[in-house]
Amino acid sequence: MEHADLRRAWRALAGTGGRAEAVGAELLARWGEPHRHYHGPDHLRAVLAGVDALAAEAADADLVRFAAWFHDAVYDGVPGRDEERSAALAERLVPECGRSAGFAAGVARLVRATAGHRPDSGDADAEVLCDADLAVLGRDPEGYRDYAAAVRRDYAHVGEADFRAGRAAVLRGLLAADPLFRTAGGRARWEAAARRNLAAELAALDGEPPPLAPPQA
């Protein structure tokens, strides 16, 4: 069965009731939409793995896992609007999994936090979700280049000049964050490599050759 691992993960989180199964099927259909390149099932897997790695730092790890499932459930390549529509979807569908409206509102709040990846200080659950979402930045250089290329394909509807300008602005914003990762685990795992990767991509976007190898931490 396609994405059997994700189906098992959803059932472990949301249960096996009929409505929960239907919500899981809808989410997997959304994550599998053909226009997605980076923001597809592999990204969902990676974010869920990141949440698991940081779960000890969360206040409610299952709340964060629900938010991971919903955080890019709506993806049209329109930053801000996508997160808001994904949050609204969570508010509508999470109660169908037997969770309270208050729990659904918490999931939606976390989804909205991924729009800027700057969670409020002390919001442990938002910090875990945002760090898990950004963990891709800390890949090895080849993995990071694959990620950046997939992001470009996701934004194929944006012209090259506009994409380069917008992407450069995003990279500068990420590099300006101090720290970039808000959890202790995120900083230890991904911060140094992420900064090297971001700086190399930004140099390439600005027309400068990236370094042949990342500098030593």
Side-chain angles (χ1 to χ4, degrees), residues 38-87:
Y38 171 63
H39 295 88
D42 284 344
H43 174 57
L44 174 58
R45 289 185 180 94
V47 175
L48 289 170
V51 173
D52 286 345
L54 302 175
E57 299 188 56
D60 186 339
D62 278 354
L63 183 75
V64 184
R65 291 184 179 100
F66 266 98
W69 274 90
F70 279 93
H71 83 285
D72 283 325
V74 177
Y75 184 75
D76 295 321
V78 184
R81 190 183 76 179
D82 287 346
E83 289 84 0
E84 182 56 39
R85 293 178 66 193
S86 296

Side-chain angles (χ1 to χ4, degrees), residues 7 11 14 37 40 50 61 64 82 113 128 140 150 155 206:
R7 295 179 190 280
R11 288 168 181 155
H37 298 279
V64 184
D82 287 346
V128 167
D140 63 82
Y155 286 90
D206 286 342

Side-chain angles (χ1 to χ4, degrees), residues 152-171:
R152 182 64 186 103
R153 291 194 296 274
D154 270 358
Y155 286 90
H157 58 286
V158 179
E160 183 65 19
D162 287 342
F163 175 81
R164 289 170 73 93
R167 180 68 177 168
V170 169
L171 298 178

Side-chain angles (χ1 to χ4, degrees), residues 7-215:
R7 295 179 190 280
R8 286 193 298 271
W10 174 255
R11 288 168 181 155
L13 178 66
T16 58
R19 287 307 305 151
E21 290 276 11
V23 171
E26 176 174 344
L27 289 172
L28 282 173
R30 289 175 175 276
W31 281 96
E33 291 165 338
H35 67 278
R36 298 174 183 244
H37 298 279
Y38 171 63
H39 295 88
D42 284 344
H43 174 57
L44 174 58
R45 289 185 180 94
V47 175
L48 289 170
V51 173
D52 286 345
L54 302 175
E57 299 188 56
D60 186 339
D62 278 354
L63 183 75
V64 184
R65 291 184 179 100
F66 266 98
W69 274 90
F70 279 93
H71 83 285
D72 283 325
V74 177
Y75 184 75
D76 295 321
V78 184
R81 190 183 76 179
D82 287 346
E83 289 84 0
E84 182 56 39
R85 293 178 66 193
S86 296
L89 186 72
E91 289 171 332
R92 179 168 63 85
L93 292 184
V94 170
E96 297 193 21
C97 302
R99 301 286 182 149
S100 68
F103 186 90
V107 173
R109 178 182 63 78
L110 298 184
V111 170
R112 292 184 175 101
T114 64
H117 296 101
R118 302 318 314 154
D120 292 337
S121 179
D123 187 344
D125 290 335
E127 290 177 342
V128 167
L129 179 62
C130 288
D131 279 9
D133 196 26
L134 294 179
V136 63
L137 304 179
R139 287 181 177 175
D140 63 82
E142 182 178 358
Y144 183 88
R145 286 192 292 270
D146 290 343
Y147 146 74
V151 169
R152 182 64 186 103
R153 291 194 296 274
D154 270 358
Y155 286 90
H157 58 286
V158 179
E160 183 65 19
D162 287 342
F163 175 81
R164 289 170 73 93
R167 180 68 177 168
V170 169
L171 298 178
R172 290 190 184 98
L174 290 168
L175 283 166
D178 185 17
L180 173 57
F181 292 93
R182 300 291 290 273
T183 64
R187 289 192 295 276
R189 286 175 172 85
W190 305 307
E191 182 97 11
R195 290 192 177 279
R196 291 193 294 267
N197 288 330
L198 292 166
E201 185 186 359
L202 182 59
L205 288 172
D206 286 342
E208 303 170 16
L212 294 177

